[in-house]
Amino acid sequence: MVTADPARPMRADARRNYERIVAVAKAAFAADGVDVPADDIAKRAGVGAGTLYRHFPTRDKLIEAVYRDEIDGLAQQAYDLLEELPPGEALETWLATHVVYVVEKHGLAMTLKASVDAGSEVFAWCQSRLRSASDTIVKAAQADGVLRADVTGVDILRLGHGVGSAASKASEEDTKRLLAVVLDGLRVQ
């Protein structure tokens, strides 16, 4: 899910170009790192360099857009799962999704995060978006009586990151077992 700057309304063709550039940049950054030449990204996206620079006047702006898109997608999954599943299952699925995200996107996520100024509006927006999603899914599971009352949304984010970091050096079986242990500790006994 690509999220452009909401303060800048775009024509449909401009939105498509923006979304294509972000999607191509995300894939390029994942494959080759954030130092991929901007002209290569424009070429792969099927747009001219001028179009890329009109949307993203600096490499930092493109990196911020990719980071924002990654975080927005992860957060949106929490809301989508709450619409599809009972709150406890939604929380468990989202935590597992978070773990997979950390394992699969660890290098890209760390590179993007390191490239985004921690004091920037983008970083603040990403933190807020992720915390809001986590708080929402936690409160729903607590209201449903399946999640301990002392668990916070930030706890879930930290646990997802922690299990994901550990899982990057573990087998899939060990990762599932570790996640099950964490989930057992979160449930109302």
Side-chain angles (χ1 to χ4, degrees):
M1 166 179 291
V2 175
T3 55
D5 181 355
R8 289 180 37 200
M10 286 189 222
R11 297 182 330 259
D13 62 328
R15 168 140 326 265
R16 283 190 302 273
N17 286 339
Y18 179 95
E19 291 172 351
R20 191 170 39 246
I21 292 166
V22 171
V24 167
K26 185 187 305 187
F29 292 166
D32 304 318
V34 296
D35 294 327
V36 175
D39 289 343
D40 287 356
I41 292 171
K43 186 175 183 177
R44 293 179 199 180
V47 300
T51 299
L52 184 139
Y53 288 113
R54 192 169 26 263
H55 288 291
F56 307 103
T58 66
R59 174 173 298 283
D60 288 346
K61 293 297 181 192
L62 180 57
I63 291 169
E64 287 175 357
V66 170
Y67 182 66
R68 181 180 173 123
D69 184 60
E70 285 283 305
I71 297 302
D72 188 48
L74 182 60
Q76 186 59 47
Q77 287 180 3
Y79 297 109
D80 294 345
L81 287 167
L82 275 174
E83 290 181 10
E84 300 166 11
L85 300 170
E89 288 179 46
L91 175 66
E92 290 180 14
T93 303
W94 191 62
L95 184 57
T97 299
H98 189 156
V99 169
V100 169
Y101 174 83
V102 171
V103 170
E104 291 180 356
K105 308 265 182 140
H106 181 73
L108 175 61
M110 291 298 104
T111 300
L112 293 173
K113 187 175 180 181
S115 298
V116 174
D117 180 13
S120 73
E121 287 181 35
V122 170
F123 190 79
W125 182 90
C126 289
Q127 267 194 322
S128 174
R129 176 84 164 122
L130 209 48
R131 285 182 179 175
S132 179
S134 189
D135 287 343
T136 299
I137 204 165
V138 161
K139 289 175 184 170
Q142 288 169 332
D144 203 40
V146 295
L147 181 66
R148 291 173 29 176
D150 62 336
V151 175
T152 68
V154 171
D155 293 337
I156 296 300
L157 293 174
R158 288 177 178 155
L159 287 168
H161 184 76
V163 173
S165 294
S168 67
K169 296 174 179 67
S171 69
E172 185 176 336
E173 182 180 309
D174 286 343
T175 300
K176 287 179 182 179
R177 187 178 49 74
L178 183 56
L179 186 56
V181 168
V182 169
L183 289 167
D184 282 345
L186 293 170
R187 291 185 188 104
V188 171
Q189 300 301 314

